[in-house]
Every structure is written in C-alpha cells, then in structure tokens.
Amino acid sequence: MHLNGILQESPKTLPILQATFGLERESLRVSQKTGRVSQKPHPKTLGSRSFHPYIQTDYSEPQIELITPIGQSTKEALRFLGAITDVAGRSLDDDDYLWPLSMPPQIEEDEIEIAKLDSQFECDYRQHLADVYGKKLQSMSGIHFNMELGKDLVASLFETSHYDSLVDFKNDLHLKLAQNFLRYKFFLTYLFGASPIAEQGFLDSDLKGPVRSLRNSQFGYVNHDDIKVSYQSLEKYISDIEGYVSSGQLIAEKEFYSSVRLRGSKRNRDYLEKGVSYLEFRCFDLNPFDNRGITQETLDIVHLFALSLLWLDKVEDVDQAIQLGKDINEQVALAHPLDKLPKEAPIQDLLQAFRDLAQHFQLNSYYQDLISKIEAAIEDPSLTIGGQLAQHIQNQSLQDFGRKHGLAYKEYAWTAHYALKGYESMELSTQMLLFDVIQKGVNFQILDESDQFLKLWHGDHVEYVKNGNMTSKDNYVIPLAMANKVVTKKILSQAGFPVPAGSEFDDKDSALAYYPIIQKKPIVVKPKSTNFGLGISIFQEAANLEDYEKALDIAFKEDSSLLVEEFVAGTEYRFFVLDGKCEAVLLRVAANVVGDGKHTIAELVALKNQNPLRGRDHRSPLEIINLGDIELLMLDQQGFTPETILADGQKADLRGNSNISTGGDSIDVTDKMDPSYKELAAQMATAMGAWACGVDLIIPDASQPSLKEQANCTCIELNFNPSMYMHTYCHEGPGQAITPKILAKLFPELDD
Amino acid sequence: MHLNGILQESPKTLPILQATFGLERESLRVSQKTGRVSQKPHPKTLGSRSFHPYIQTDYSEPQIELITPIGQSTKEALRFLGAITDVAGRSLDDDDYLWPLSMPPQIEEDEIEIAKLDSQFECDYRQHLADVYGKKLQSMSGIHFNMELGKDLVASLFETSHYDSLVDFKNDLHLKLAQNFLRYKFFLTYLFGASPIAEQGFLDSDLKGPVRSLRNSQFGYVNHDDIKVSYQSLEKYISDIEGYVSSGQLIAEKEFYSSVRLRGSKRNRDYLEKGVSYLEFRCFDLNPFDNRGITQETLDIVHLFALSLLWLDKVEDVDQAIQLGKDINEQVALAHPLDKLPKEAPIQDLLQAFRDLAQHFQLNSYYQDLISKIEAAIEDPSLTIGGQLAQHIQNQSLQDFGRKHGLAYKEYAWTAHYALKGYESMELSTQMLLFDVIQKGVNFQILDESDQFLKLWHGDHVEYVKNGNMTSKDNYVIPLAMANKVVTKKILSQAGFPVPAGSEFDDKDSALAYYPIIQKKPIVVKPKSTNFGLGISIFQEAANLEDYEKALDIAFKEDSSLLVEEFVAGTEYRFFVLDGKCEAVLLRVAANVVGDGKHTIAELVALKNQNPLRGRDHRSPLEIINLGDIELLMLDQQGFTPETILADGQKADLRGNSNISTGGDSIDVTDKMDPSYKELAAQMATAMGAWACGVDLIIPDASQPSLKEQANCTCIELNFNPSMYMHTYCHEGPGQAITPKILAKLFPELDD
C-alpha cells in the first residue's frame, strides 16, 4: 500500500481531469447611498433562507452567500455561479449592491447585524463567533472551492494502489492532498491573494503598506493560536478536533477553520467508516476584476494544483512540513503585492510537478498555456491579482475602486435582463423560469440543455419542465388535441364556443361538392396541417367556383387534407391562460415605423432597433427590423423608399404579417382588454382541459364586450406551449410576468 | 307560404345532398346446433344493456338491435353499421350466429323469451305487445333508416319558402315528406322487399306462393285496423294518436307503427313548439345478400327517394291519397317477387321526379347511374332483392339459405379479426380499441381519422384518446421525457435503476477526452436523437482510439450531439407496463425460417407468409417476409440460397434486426418471464411517472431472477405510446389483450 508515485505509475490514459466542483461565494451588500454595509434585511424576493439552496446569508444579515450545486466541470460550476450572481444582483434592493472585495468597506462593529436565521442553533453559533473573534473579522468575504475527484479516476487509482479497502484508500488519498495543500498553499496566496489593505479602523493598528492577502494571514479569520491539529493521520486529525470541542475551545467541529477541510460527512469520525469523499479549499479572496469573484483560469489552475499535490510525494514528518508551509504562506500573505516569492518557497518542486503531470497525461494546449501563465506570474508579481489590485489603492483605501466595480457589476446584471447569464443558448422562456427557480430557491438540474428539459425539486417534490410550461399539470392528450386544428375546433364547437364554420376534406370532389354551402361567404382555404402560411387562400369576398377550385388545388399541393373555413375579419389577440385564469393579453402589430417629420424610414428603423429588447434569432424578446427585399417591397407598395422622410405621426408598414419574429411589435393590452374576453378565453382553455394555453381570438370590435348570447369574437386557434416571454418584455405596455406564476403553481408549498 | 315547387324554385347550387343518417338493424341470434332461435341470454361480452348505445336487444332476448350513431353521410352511417355488425358477430357465443333474413327460421311462441331488460316499463311494454300482436310477429326483423336534412339545406329552403316561422316550416316540410312517403312507399317495397315466405307454422294459413314482402303487408307487424291516423295536418296527426292512447287502444304513442315516423321529440305534441327535426323510415327488410342487411346503393336510393318526395307536389286530399298508396303497397307486397308493378302504381311520376331532381341539381354520374339502375329494376323484377331471393327458396323454405349466409357472415367477422371492418385505414391499435369501445358500449366519435384521434364518452365523462394509449392518464411532460434518451437515462439512473453507463457530448474534443474512461470497455457510439440505426457504431470488444474517433465522426454526421454508452450484451425484451403493472412481455426474433428437411428456404418463406396474421404496411400484426436484397445477402452469409433445403430443425436467419416490421416473429413470453423482471419493469415505469410505457430490458440470462442487490439486466429505452397489437396477435404464445385494459382504466365506472 503506497501513495507516493501513484500518478507516475498510472497509465497515461487515466481520466486524470475527471472531477466535480462546487463553489461558495460570500459578498457583503453595501448601500449606494451611504457607502457602508447595508442595513436592509435580506431581500424578500429571494424566498426563504430556511431552505434556499443557492442564496443564503453567511455570518451577518448583509453577507450574502452564493452556493452552486455540483458541476461536472469547472466551467459548469462557474456558469452556475454566474447565474446565481446574476439572480442575486437583480434581486437586491435598488440602493444595494454587492461589494466586490474580500475586505469590507469602512465598517463599525455595531453596523453588523448577525444574520436573522430561523435556526436558533445557527444564531447562537454566530453569537459565539462574535464573542470569540469579533464581528468585524466575520465581514471578510471569500470563496470556497469544493472538489471531488471523478469516480472513474478514483477507481483506477485504487486499482493501481493495491489497497484492499476503498475507504482506507480514499482517506489516505485525501489526507495526502490536504497535507500537501497546506505545504504549498503559499502558491495560491501568491497568485490569487487580493486583500491588500483594510479600510481605516478595521485593524487595531494600521499596516505599513499594502500586502498580498490580509485574509490569508494571521489578521484573517483563523482559529486562536492554541488550536493545533495534526494532519499526521486521519485518526489524529479527528481526535485532536474532538479534543478541542470537548474542552470547549471549539464550539463545534466546524469551528476548526483550516484553509482545507475534509468533506463528505457531517461528523469527522464518520470518515473512518465511510471515507472522505471530497475536499474544500477555503482560502480564495474575491477577485474584484470578475463579477463572479473568480475566473475560469483560476478554477483550472486550482484543479491542476490539486492534481499536482497528488503527483508530489508525501513527506515523513507531515506536521513539521505543514508548519513550514504555513510559515512561508504567512510571509507571502504579508509581503507587498509586487514582491516575488521568498527564496525558501519550494516553488520549483511544485512547478516541476505541474509540468510532469501535464506531460505524463498529455494535457492539451489549454493546460500547457495555463502552466506558462503560472510561470510568468511567478516571475512577475504584477501579473498576479494582488499585483494588479495594488495599483488601484488610493490613500490607503479601495473604497472608490470597490464602489465603481460593484456598481458596474450590478449594472451588468441588469443588462439583457430578460436573459439568464451563461444560459443564453436556451430559450428565453426557460431562462426566465430558471431565473425564478434560482431566485425562489427551488433545486434544479438541466437534464437536457438543447431540449430545454429541466428537473426541479423542493424536498421530495419533483417536477419536470420542458420549454418553460410543458409540465405535469397538463395531461398528455390535450396538447396533442391542440396541435390538431380540426380536433381543437370540434372540441370547442361541441362545447358551444365560437369557431370559424367550416369543413375538412380529403379529396377534391367532396370539397367541390361543398361549394354550394360557402358560395356566398368570405372563406379561407388552407392545408390542414401546415403552419407557415403555405397553400392558404383567403377570399374576403365570396369566391367564384373557378377560383375556389384553384384554391383547392393549391392547398392539396401542401397536404392531403384541407380545411374550408369561414373567413373572420377583425383584430387578432393572444390570450395567455394558465390554470383557468387569463394572465395576459397581447396584440401583435406588424413591423413598422412612425415618422417624426425629420428622420428617413431607414433612420427610423435604425432608431427603433436601438431598443435593447431587440436582438436576433429569438435570443431577445423583440427582433431587429431588417430592411430586406420583403420590407422594401412593402414600402414600395405604400409609395415609400428607405429615404422617405415620414411626416410626424405617419406610419409606414414594413411587413404584412404581425409575427414578433419578423420585427413585429408586441403590445401588452392585458389591463385594457374587456374582462368579458379574458373570461371567455379562460373558459375555452378550461373546456379544452388545458392548463397552459394560448388562445387566439379574432375580435371585430374590442370596445364591445363579449356577451353570453353573442360572443362577438371567434377563436381561430389554441396553442400548447404558448410563448411566455413575449407577454413579459413588450414593445409597449407594462408586460406581464408569467414564469413566476408557473413556478408558484408547480410548487405551491413555496408560499407556505 | 307554400311548399309545392319549393325545390324547383331553388337555385341549382342548393346543397341538396346535405343530410345526416342513422341506421337501426334488428337480427335474431340463431343456434348453429339446433337451427332455431338461440335460447342463450344476450352475450355478457357486450356490456350493459342499461346504457349500450350501439348494441341492444329489441323485442325478445335473442333479437339483437344494432344502432349506429349519426353519420354525416350514408357512407359513414353504413361504415358504422358494418363495424357494429363486426363487433356483434365476434361477441356472440360460439354456437350463435345472426339470422340474415327478416323472417325468422321455424319458430314457436314458447321459444321466444321477452328481452330481459332492467327497465320494468320496457318489460311491461313488451308483454303488452305479446298480448296484442302475439310473440311470433315480434320476431320479424328489419332496418330503420333515420334521415335529417342538412342544416344549410333547410336554412336555404326556409329562405326560399317565405315562411315566417322556422318551426312551422320544418313541420310542414316533414309532414309533406311523410305524406308523400306513404303515397309512394310501394316503390321501396318493390325494390327492397325481401320477406317472400314464412317458415312452416308461422302463419295461421299458408300462402299460395312467395310474395315480395310479408313484413310490409297486412301479415307484417302493423297496428290493428281500427287505428286510423290522419296525416292531413300535424295537429290532426298528434290528436289522433293521443286519442288512441287515452282510449287505451295504444299503450303509448310509440305503439303507432307507421312505416314513417316524425322524429325529434319524445312526445308528439312537442313538435308544435320545437318542430319535427327528422324522419324515420321503418319499412326495410333485411337484405340477406349483404352482411350488414343493407347496401350503400340502397341507402343512396332511399336518400334520392326522400328528396324526390320533396320535389313532388302535395295533394289536396292527403288521407285519400295515402289510402290509395297503402292499397298499392299492399298489392306490391303480396305480389310474386317476379311480378312487375301494377299499372295503377304512379311510378312514372316518381321516376320523373328522380330525373328532374338530378337534372336540376346537376347530380353527378353516381346518382345518374343509380337512377338508371332503378329504371332497369322497374322494368325487370328479377333485378330487385326480392326477385333474386325468390330463386333461393327450396321447398317453400329459406332455412338452408339463411343458415348458409348467416354462417358465412359470422366467418367474415372472424376474418382479419385483429382489425375493425371499415376502419382499416386507422392504426391497428386504434382499431382494436374501437372494437372494445363498441363492444362495451362507450360512445365514440372519431375527431380525426388520420391522426387516430378519438373522443370517447359515457354519460358526462369524456376521454380523448390518440393512437390508442395517449390519454389523460399520462401527464404531458413524462412522454416528452421518454422521447429523450438522455433525460430518460438520467431519471432512471437517479432513481437507482440499471441503465448503460455513458455520457453525452456536443463536440468531438470532449468525446475524445472521454476515451480514457471507456478504453477497456465494449461500447456503443450513437447520435443522440435518431432512431433508425443511422450513425451507430458498436464495439463489442474495446475500441482503439483510431476506431473510436471514426465512430465519433460517423455519429456527428447524424446529429450535433452523441452518446457514448457501455455496450450491454444479452436478449432484448419489451415489457408493456400499464398503470404500474406489467401486462405483457414480448420477445422479438429476426425474420427466419426453420427447415423440415423437405422444403427450400423460398418455399418455407411462402409457407410462413400464409399465416393470416401476416400482411403489409402495418395493417396486420405481422409483416410478410420478403426475399429482397437484404435477405439474400443474409442467406449468403450463412452459406444458403433461396433454393437451399434446410435440414429438419435447421434455422436460417433472413434479417439481422428483430423488428416486426421487417418480418420478425413476435413471441409472447408474458407467462414464462420471471416475475422479478416484470416487477422491475413496472417499477421503472412508475419511477418515470409513466402510465402507458414500453420498457426495453436487455437480460443476459432470463433464467436468473432480477435481485434487489443486482438487477441482472439493463434498461436501454422507455417508450411512450408503445405498440399494443404486437402483444395481442403473436407469432407464438397466447397473446395478451391490452386495449380492453386501457378502456377499463379510462372508464372504471363501466365495471360498476
């Protein structure tokens, strides 16, 4: 049984990079007005801290903690953190923003309110910490990095190791990692240390000048000197901590603040039977140059660093080596940010391990480049985060810097606020729902990203959601019915609702024989199953037999069945009905510009396109208006060119169709629409048996209400999986939030 | 206000043929063994007569009544009747069959048991009829033809008529139709009369020779002579009948047995306020040359006849004209089947009306041909049904003829018994479900035939069904999850079920980086979303890196995502799980033949294809085995040609894939499969949340049970909308009926 050289003896094809990651980031809420720590309570929009898995409060009420679920890669973990940061940023009070630095702005003990948690134990624990360490110390913020080696990787290493017990193997493996972490921690402090100063009044006595990382030094949040825990063996580690807890020097095992923690069980002693399963590295200062507090490169360097710790050998006298490592770390932490590493730091051993590891496992150029960057930063301290941050210190303060960056990150959160950062490849409605999911603290997993397939859960309650509103709340056959125009019409009609009169035909003879019935009416002839306007003929006046026959031929080219329906004149509105209630009404208007007597049409289009809601390819709530062939033809028909200067209030249409996807305007008329139509739409969806349903009504005169004896409107379509975002972010009108209602109905217990 | 000439004055484009139709057909159950009326009770398989809308008993227990729902055309009505006939034929006791003639086989009063209905009123009514008319008379069977003129047609006529009240108009219109019907009824008796003789002992005294229609003569089922109802006006008609009821000469209004009935309200007097809405023609003898008792041509002739009655003028003295018509009808009914119409029959008036109608409304060649056929049959009585039937009379009896045709029709019902006659264009599973629906008496409407979309209802309880098992019982998102392989695997795996280990990749680099993890394992590389075997590579031994890379390229050509999965060896079984219970297990074996030492492979294939379950294009439970290129190649690889004579028991494979659609064998192993696997499959479907689910398990050794600690199998796929017919009609094994279970679960109240 040995661990030294274990990686060196592994095949080159070992899945060395396989691992999972989790991040926890603390950050203080700061008031824009006062420039000091916010005195507001934790935002109510963020649901309940009694269960919230992603957004919690750490020590004090204004200290938000952002927690990612486990990611299958550093990329995924960071994406999670980005999204949670995004949600937190948009959930804060208008006056609050997140402080981007580990060290707080100017602060007094009595400004710091202990977090108002439900758990009495957690409150008592925090009061104890205040008594032992003082409240100010607790206001320092940082990032914890959790890492678990991949299952296949551990299994392969176990095989190589000739250990008999997987538990023993995992314990030894993680203990070795922890030991070496403490020996080489100085490396992380050097590269990523970013707490160079404390604002005036924070420390009892001022520092002489900026340092690399106050937080990773003796001034940081550490146990008192008398707490000395051995890492020589797991048994020793456990019994040392247990000793301090039973003597009362620590209130609980978790009060042992090592910069590396063994993880996987709540009680240390359980590791002996169950094995350590992962490690938590707790030493990272917030990187103020990134809105998330940490970068992709940092994560991957830490990952490589952890693997290099495994590559390096164990030493005989572990505790002595760790003490040496701690001394070096203290030197590095308190050195000037532009100082190089001290000579006694065993950096070459570590760099060699990086290089050997990369060579042995043939890591790709990304990792080779990372190692080069590390080497460069070792040579040139100005390339470290601390080195860069030092340039921003003014009058021994980073208050202005922190404010400027913190506000910029908040502004960034509100940029393209209809999207969820990092998830822009998903549909807007799904992004919006995920925002709500994170905000309210529902657990989620993206089961299939390109398929918009989510798993949501709260306690034992699991819900699957596809495309934002395809859920367990609808039964299977109803959306299938809505997907079929003929079936939908029959069901609505049998329930007594107004639909266009008409009939379906599978052959031309029967369709021709129907002519007597429609010969005096305005009609639409359309293929049964196409949706893109192909093969449709509209006769706003009654059709003669010849034209009718032509229309049949055209429609039969597209489908083997066609519909002949009464043509209904009027304005089309989309009613969004959820669970029997109409939640939104939208009017869609074809792409257009309205003149001001000064600008050309081309200029008006450009001006309209400046709306930040307009983008391309359904990635934004509204689409950019093009000036392509169709639009130019449309202008021409109105006697316009792009150079035409429209009179004030004069309108030019750029499209004949009112689709949002071709630059149309969405107008939220929910509050203006007569309630009788909303009620009618809701009744239609209910008659259909639909939970989430888009009801398209043609209303000839919306100023007249719908009456029981006369609906005054016609339903031309019911839509399953109706678009939600278009009701929320509109060209005109207040907009209606729908995804929060979906979530609240899926998880009504959240409101309890 | 006038009705004469109303059609003549209508525009040629009037939708003259618009109408709806319903049919009721009576038929006696007869015992094959005894040749006499069956003494068995109404079949239990046919559900409850207390609500059955399609299959009832008429007067006596063995007199089945088949009732169609309303059809939008004669074609649809006849198709309904064919299907109900099909279901009834296959629901009878083995010894019973349906008597194809209106006149019963030899029968005695005491053989006839009054129908055992739940309703005491119905039983008392039948006892009253027995007392008044005798039981034998009640054993005559016939067809009632219900017809309602189309809504647009009636509306147009109403407009032409200048009537003020639609109710008055409809009443006058239908009264005129009824009057003219009685005047010209002889026409129908002549063409369709088919009750030429009574078997010995039926009549008190024997007839001299065969006649056209005993049933439509004084010997038929008519009121006593003292019942005389005037058709002069609706008010007179109603009060006459009411008078007989209050005097006790009729027990109820429905005991007035006119060959035409006004319909639309239960009580005659209601017509005055609500209007007559349709007519019932009750005079049709069973046509023994058609298994349904009536042909398409007959229906369309009756339709034309009814329209001609409208074309013809009203007469002044209605009751006198009707009496004349009745006299002529009696002559025609009691004439020899080969006699021509009597001179006094006003047939030319009627034929002229047919012709004028067809010309005025430019009816197409089908109707022109019908009129020619009518004219020919008027000229030549041997072309009438009665004329043809007369040739089959032997020894003044039609017993042998009736038996022969009745048994042939029963055999026909059992031909292609997996299908529902008339509905063969629909999917087999839907046909099977429709069979059950009709058998158990659930109301149905086909909302969209090509989309397999059904509406089923019983009382107020409505269920929609698509493709046989897509229903309200599944929730929307679960089938969507099953449609996605990655999502399915994740859900099953998170619930602790065995699925092939593997991962999904969107780019080649990540997939290559995965190689270390699978380098020693048998694997499958497949595109994420295709289902047709395209782009799949299987490595039963571990793949080298080069081959692995090739496989990635191949899969990425088909899809932008691929799966790399552990290859699982073993036999694949399909488990059909419904509502948490495994109902069937199927083994599918690739197309093959097994030798007998005598026949060539080509001959063995031909023999195997003789199985009536084999057909083409999924219209049969099994497919014809082809001897195409793929099969020849497969034979060649085994060293065979189509001319090879296989040794006894020697097997030749004709396909590499086990799909039923390429001639594979379906083997029902439900009873043989170890219950542990059935339980596991059921648990998987339940964990998924699926109601109807096909679970595909690979089992390396089915003789070993599945254990809690070791599943001994792997789930490779869950299927929504799983095929049902393939479990029911199998190449081998007893087969499991599934659609009746679907229906019973949709309508549990049917069992109450």
Side-chain angles (χ1 to χ4, degrees), chain B residues 322-378:
Chain B
I322 288 175
Q323 190 52 51
L324 185 66
K326 282 184 175 174
D327 293 345
I328 294 171
N329 181 70
E330 185 72 9
Q331 270 190 67
V332 172
L334 291 179
H336 188 278
L338 294 173
D339 284 354
K340 293 187 83 166
L341 281 170
K343 293 228 167 62
E344 54 270 45
I347 186 65
Q348 290 311 325
D349 299 357
L350 186 62
L351 289 179
Q352 195 57 47
F354 272 110
R355 291 185 208 108
D356 291 347
L357 182 88
Q359 194 185 0
H360 185 83
F361 295 107
Q362 300 174 312
L363 298 188
N364 66 21
S365 61
Y366 171 73
Y367 290 97
Q368 304 284 357
D369 289 350
L370 273 190
I371 294 171
S372 303
K373 284 183 185 176
I374 292 167
E375 289 168 338
I378 299 292

Side-chain angles (χ1 to χ4, degrees), chain A residues 431-560:
Chain A
Q431 292 181 56
M432 287 161 63
L433 182 66
L434 277 178
F435 180 95
D436 304 325
V437 161
I438 294 173
Q439 190 178 49
K440 296 303 176 205
V442 174
N443 293 279
F444 77 102
Q445 184 190 2
I446 298 175
L447 293 180
D448 192 323
E449 188 155 340
S450 60
D451 206 23
Q452 321 293 326
F453 218 115
L454 308 181
K455 176 182 178 179
L456 309 182
W457 71 98
H458 179 74
D460 293 337
H461 176 187
V462 177
E463 294 282 350
Y464 299 102
V465 180
K466 184 168 147 57
N467 298 84
N469 61 29
M470 298 157 101
T471 70
S472 67
K473 298 292 179 182
D474 261 308
N475 89 48
Y476 188 23
V477 78
I478 297 306
L480 298 173
M482 289 198 268
N484 182 314
K485 290 176 196 166
V486 172
V487 170
T488 301
K489 263 182 66 173
K490 284 184 183 165
I491 294 177
L492 283 182
S493 165
Q494 287 172 12
F497 292 105
V499 294
S503 207
E504 182 193 353
F505 301 99
D506 296 331
D507 62 280
K508 194 173 160 184
D509 277 352
S510 323
L512 281 174
Y514 190 66
Y515 182 69
I517 292 173
I518 49 85
Q519 59 181 333
K520 290 182 189 164
K521 301 169 184 165
I523 55 163
V524 184
V525 177
K526 56 184 174 186
K528 182 175 151 197
S529 58
T530 59
N531 258 319
F532 300 101
L534 283 175
I536 297 184
S537 304
I538 297 177
F539 298 94
Q540 301 205 16
E541 310 285 323
N544 64 41
L545 183 58
E546 194 183 342
D547 289 345
Y548 177 64
E549 193 173 349
K550 266 187 214 160
L552 297 179
D553 290 337
I554 291 169
F556 272 127
K557 264 189 204 151
E558 302 298 329
D559 197 340
S560 61

Side-chain angles (χ1 to χ4, degrees), chain A residues 13 18 445 447-448 451 455 464 470-472 474-477 484 490-491 494 516-517 519 528 720, chain B residues 13 18 445 447-448 451 455 470-472 474-477 484 490-491 494 516-517 519 528 720:
Chain A
T13 52
Q18 194 191 41
Q445 184 190 2
L447 293 180
D448 192 323
D451 206 23
K455 176 182 178 179
Y464 299 102
M470 298 157 101
T471 70
S472 67
D474 261 308
N475 89 48
Y476 188 23
V477 78
N484 182 314
K490 284 184 183 165
I491 294 177
Q494 287 172 12
I517 292 173
Q519 59 181 333
K528 182 175 151 197
F720 66 97
Chain B
T13 51
Q18 194 191 39
Q445 184 191 2
L447 293 180
D448 191 323
D451 206 23
K455 175 183 179 178
M470 298 157 101
T471 70
S472 67
D474 261 308
N475 88 47
Y476 187 23
V477 77
N484 182 314
K490 283 184 183 166
I491 294 176
Q494 286 172 12
I517 291 173
Q519 60 180 333
K528 182 175 151 196
F720 66 95

Side-chain angles (χ1 to χ4, degrees), chain A residues 356-372:
Chain A
D356 291 348
L357 181 90
Q359 194 185 0
H360 185 82
F361 295 106
Q362 301 172 311
L363 299 188
N364 67 21
S365 60
Y366 171 73
Y367 291 97
Q368 303 285 356
D369 289 350
L370 274 190
I371 294 172
S372 302

Side-chain angles (χ1 to χ4, degrees), chain A residues 703-714:
Chain A
S703 71
Q704 297 299 313
S706 179
L707 304 171
K708 265 219 165 144
E709 51 280 20
Q710 200 179 347
N712 283 329
C713 66
T714 307

Side-chain angles (χ1 to χ4, degrees), chain A residues 126-199:
Chain A
R126 281 167 174 71
Q127 186 54 51
H128 162 82
L129 297 181
D131 298 342
V132 177
Y133 306 92
K135 282 175 166 183
K136 278 199 277 187
L137 214 56
Q138 311 282 354
S139 300
M140 287 196 254
S141 299
I143 287 185
H144 298 181
F145 176 111
N146 297 278
M147 171 177 164
E148 179 169 4
L149 296 170
K151 292 211 171 4
D152 298 289
L153 173 58
V154 171
S156 299
L157 289 175
F158 175 55
E159 213 177 299
T160 312
S161 75
H162 309 297
Y163 268 63
D164 292 327
S165 145
L166 181 61
V167 168
D168 288 349
F169 172 72
K170 286 172 77 173
N171 284 343
D172 283 4
L173 189 76
H174 287 100
L175 193 67
K176 178 187 166 182
L177 272 171
Q179 292 162 354
N180 281 346
F181 180 89
L182 293 170
R183 288 170 63 199
Y184 293 97
K185 185 193 153 187
F186 72 86
F187 170 78
L188 301 179
T189 304
Y190 174 79
L191 282 185
F192 308 124
S195 45
I197 57 161
E199 298 301 325

Side-chain angles (χ1 to χ4, degrees), chain A residues 720-740:
Chain A
F720 66 97
N721 190 220
S723 166
M724 299 190 284
Y725 71 83
M726 71 178 181
H727 293 282
T728 311
Y729 300 106
C730 301
H731 174 76
E732 200 180 310
Q736 308 294 327
I738 304 208
T739 52

